[in-house]
Amino acid sequence: MMDEAKQQIAEILWARLVKEFNDEAETYDPESYESLLGSIGPVEDREVMRSKWWQFVDGYLFDVDYNEITWMIEREHNGEKLATGRIHFGS
């Protein structure tokens, strides 16, 4: 698959993750451990689990290398300030 196509897929999945991350903040409770994104930490500074967020944004629907695409997203956006907090990526 061409790098441009991989980048487009990474951008699609990133946009989905941003939406879900911000939506989750409305009901997120760090004490409940019930996050669909695998979030941990305070709402304004959360870490999301790679396998959980990938599944939740339907990353498996794309015929791409999971490690390569998640690495692209994480390299570009780790620690980025979103509308509801800073996002960090965990294993």
Side-chain angles (χ1 to χ4, degrees):
M1 182 178 288
M2 294 175 34
D3 287 343
E4 186 176 319
K6 291 176 189 176
Q7 186 61 40
Q8 289 176 338
I9 290 169
E11 289 172 10
I12 290 166
L13 293 174
W14 170 245
R16 289 179 183 179
L17 177 55
V18 168
K19 179 192 178 313
E20 297 306 331
F21 184 86
N22 288 328
D23 288 352
E24 178 186 70
E26 295 175 19
T27 59
Y28 175 71
D29 174 11
E31 302 298 320
S32 73
Y33 298 103
E34 294 182 9
S35 166
L36 295 174
L37 299 175
S39 292
I40 60 169
V43 68
E44 67 279 353
D45 196 39
R46 301 190 310 274
E47 180 177 308
V48 295
M49 184 188 314
R50 178 184 280 191
S51 59
K52 288 277 209 170
W53 74 255
W54 178 266
Q55 180 180 11
F56 197 71
V57 300
D58 296 326
Y60 62 87
L61 293 176
F62 296 91
D63 185 24
V64 294
D65 182 300
Y66 164 83
N67 289 315
E68 184 176 10
I69 298 299
T70 55
W71 179 82
M72 290 170 69
I73 292 169
E74 292 170 0
R75 181 189 69 212
E76 185 74 22
H77 299 288
N78 189 47
E80 189 169 319
K81 178 78 169 95
L82 304 179
T84 61
R86 193 165 305 281
I87 189 168
H88 302 280
F89 296 95
S91 56

